[in-house]
Amino acid sequence: MHVLPDALAPDLAGHAAYARVFQPGQLTLGFIAPLEAYPSAPWPTLADHAALARKVDDLGFAAIWLRDVPFYDPSFGDVGQIIDPLVYAVGSPHRPSGSPSVRRA
Protein backbone atom coordinates (compact mmCIF):
# COMPACT_ATOMS: atom_id res chain seq x y z
CA MET A 1 0.00 0.00 0.00
CA HIS A 2 1.27 3.47 -0.92
CA VAL A 3 1.31 5.91 1.98
CA LEU A 4 0.96 9.60 1.17
CA PRO A 5 3.40 11.96 2.89
CA ASP A 6 2.15 14.38 5.56
CA ALA A 7 4.05 17.28 3.99
CA LEU A 8 5.64 18.30 0.72
CA ALA A 9 9.30 17.53 0.20
CA PRO A 10 11.39 20.54 1.27
CA ASP A 11 12.60 21.26 -2.27
CA LEU A 12 8.97 21.37 -3.49
CA ALA A 13 7.37 23.15 -0.53
CA GLY A 14 8.79 26.47 -1.70
CA HIS A 15 7.49 26.02 -5.25
CA ALA A 16 4.23 27.99 -5.29
CA ALA A 17 2.62 26.18 -8.23
CA TYR A 18 3.44 22.70 -6.98
CA ALA A 19 2.39 23.51 -3.41
CA ARG A 20 -0.92 24.96 -4.60
CA VAL A 21 -1.87 21.91 -6.68
CA PHE A 22 -0.38 19.06 -4.63
CA GLN A 23 -1.45 19.60 -1.03
CA PRO A 24 -0.88 16.58 1.24
CA GLY A 25 -4.13 15.20 2.58
CA GLN A 26 -6.22 17.56 0.44
CA LEU A 27 -8.18 17.32 -2.76
CA THR A 28 -7.53 20.23 -5.13
CA LEU A 29 -9.64 21.06 -8.16
CA GLY A 30 -8.83 22.89 -11.37
CA PHE A 31 -10.15 23.60 -14.83
CA ILE A 32 -8.88 22.53 -18.22
CA ALA A 33 -8.61 25.00 -21.07
CA PRO A 34 -10.30 26.06 -23.15
CA LEU A 35 -12.70 27.53 -20.61
CA GLU A 36 -15.71 27.46 -22.90
CA ALA A 37 -17.90 24.92 -24.65
CA TYR A 38 -17.83 24.78 -28.44
CA PRO A 39 -20.17 21.99 -29.56
CA SER A 40 -20.67 23.40 -33.07
CA ALA A 41 -17.03 23.97 -34.02
CA PRO A 42 -13.68 22.16 -33.74
CA TRP A 43 -12.12 25.16 -31.94
CA PRO A 44 -13.17 27.66 -29.27
CA THR A 45 -13.57 31.38 -29.84
CA LEU A 46 -11.22 32.25 -26.94
CA ALA A 47 -13.60 35.13 -26.17
CA ASP A 48 -13.35 36.33 -22.57
CA HIS A 49 -10.73 33.75 -21.61
CA ALA A 50 -8.80 36.25 -19.49
CA ALA A 51 -11.98 37.09 -17.54
CA LEU A 52 -12.83 33.39 -17.17
CA ALA A 53 -9.29 32.58 -15.97
CA ARG A 54 -9.51 35.43 -13.46
CA LYS A 55 -12.81 34.04 -12.17
CA VAL A 56 -11.30 30.55 -11.80
CA ASP A 57 -8.40 32.05 -9.85
CA ASP A 58 -10.63 34.30 -7.72
CA LEU A 59 -12.77 31.30 -6.75
CA GLY A 60 -9.68 29.52 -5.43
CA PHE A 61 -9.29 26.67 -7.88
CA ALA A 62 -5.80 25.18 -7.87
CA ALA A 63 -4.98 25.23 -11.56
CA ILE A 64 -5.93 25.78 -15.15
CA TRP A 65 -4.51 22.93 -17.16
CA LEU A 66 -3.55 23.70 -20.77
CA ARG A 67 -3.93 20.99 -23.38
CA ASP A 68 -1.27 20.47 -26.01
CA VAL A 69 -3.13 19.60 -29.22
CA PRO A 70 -0.63 20.62 -31.92
CA PHE A 71 -2.71 19.84 -35.02
CA TYR A 72 -6.32 19.87 -36.11
CA ASP A 73 -7.24 16.27 -36.79
CA PRO A 74 -10.89 16.03 -37.89
CA SER A 75 -11.10 12.47 -36.56
CA PHE A 76 -10.03 13.68 -33.08
CA GLY A 77 -12.65 16.39 -32.96
CA ASP A 78 -11.03 19.52 -31.56
CA VAL A 79 -7.83 21.51 -31.15
CA GLY A 80 -7.88 22.36 -27.45
CA GLN A 81 -7.29 26.05 -26.84
CA ILE A 82 -5.86 26.37 -30.40
CA ILE A 83 -2.67 28.10 -29.28
CA ASP A 84 0.51 26.41 -28.04
CA PRO A 85 0.15 26.07 -24.23
CA LEU A 86 3.23 28.17 -23.43
CA VAL A 87 2.19 30.95 -25.78
CA TYR A 88 -1.36 30.82 -24.37
CA ALA A 89 -0.14 31.01 -20.76
CA VAL A 90 2.48 33.70 -21.26
CA GLY A 91 0.39 35.74 -23.69
CA SER A 92 -2.69 35.85 -21.50
CA PRO A 93 -3.50 39.31 -20.17
CA HIS A 94 -4.68 37.62 -16.96
CA ARG A 95 -2.16 37.44 -14.17
CA PRO A 96 -3.40 35.36 -11.24
CA SER A 97 -3.11 36.73 -7.75
CA GLY A 98 0.44 36.50 -6.48
CA SER A 99 1.95 35.76 -9.89
CA PRO A 100 4.08 38.23 -11.85
CA SER A 101 4.00 36.30 -15.12
CA VAL A 102 2.41 32.92 -15.77
CA ARG A 103 -0.19 30.76 -14.11
CA ARG A 104 0.91 29.45 -10.71
CA ALA A 105 -0.25 25.97 -11.56
Side-chain angles (χ1 to χ4, degrees):
M1 181 170 115
H2 182 70
V3 177
L4 296 175
D6 292 334
L8 292 175
D11 56 335
L12 294 173
H15 190 284
Y18 192 93
R20 180 173 172 153
V21 175
F22 301 104
Q23 299 175 19
Q26 300 293 317
L27 173 67
T28 60
L29 299 175
F31 277 77
I32 188 165
L35 302 172
E36 66 178 279
Y38 46 104
S40 304
W43 48 79
T45 66
L46 300 181
D48 300 322
H49 271 222
L52 291 169
R54 189 171 295 105
K55 185 168 199 130
V56 168
D57 189 55
D58 291 346
L59 291 172
F61 286 91
I64 297 175
W65 300 99
L66 302 178
R67 295 171 49 203
D68 189 4
V69 183
F71 305 106
Y72 173 52
D73 177 357
S75 66
F76 183 71
D78 74 77
V79 293
Q81 71 273 349
I82 304 175
I83 304 167
D84 177 275
L86 287 176
V87 173
Y88 182 87
V90 174
S92 172
H94 167 63
R95 298 291 178 249
S97 57
S99 174
S101 58
V102 298
R103 181 85 193 139
R104 286 187 294 226

